[in-house]
Each structure stands twice: as C-alpha cells, then as structure tokens.
Amino acid sequence: MRRQDKGGFLDKLFPVGIRPVCPRCGHDGFIALREDAVVNADRAIAIIACASESCHAAIGVLAASEVWDE
C-alpha cells in the first residue's frame, strides 16, 4: 500500500483541516458513482469511491439526493 504524499513545504508547516484518504491505498481523491454502476441497485444511490485508477474501493453509499440536485 503506497501512500501518496502531496503538498509542499508550507503544507507541512501549517496543516489545515482534515485531509481524508482512502483506507485501502492512501489516495486522497474521491469520486461519486451513480447506481447504474451497480448491476442490482434499484434505488437512486451514490457510491463514494476512491479515485485512484488502481483502487476504486467503495468508501460509502449515500442517497442520490444528498449528492446531486435531481
């Protein structure tokens, strides 16, 4: 599991807030997928997944209305 370190010198001196990372690979980017990415999802859901090209671990599931204005 490789952790991706991003940020410069000032980020190390003055950390701001919480920077969430994927618990599987350590990547700090996330994407929201619609329910059509899942074969048997029958409700409007959004799947929050890791944005790393080699990981795509599912982090959580939300109601689609919480993610997109529909």
Side-chain angles (χ1 to χ4, degrees):
M1 294 192 327
R2 182 177 64 109
R3 301 245 177 225
Q4 295 183 358
D5 292 330
K6 291 185 181 177
F9 177 74
L10 292 176
D11 291 330
K12 293 177 184 173
L13 286 178
F14 304 107
V16 177
I18 297 171
R19 186 173 293 172
V21 296
C22 174
R24 182 173 174 199
C25 72
H27 189 263
D28 64 349
F30 299 95
I31 57 175
L33 304 170
R34 291 192 174 271
E35 72 274 358
D36 58 357
V38 179
V39 175
N40 58 358
D42 59 347
R43 302 211 176 176
I45 60 172
I47 302 159
I48 309 303
C50 178
S52 173
E53 293 180 7
S54 61
C55 182
H56 290 298
I59 306 299
V61 179
L62 297 169
S65 62
E66 298 297 323
V67 179
W68 298 287
D69 293 329
E70 293 182 0

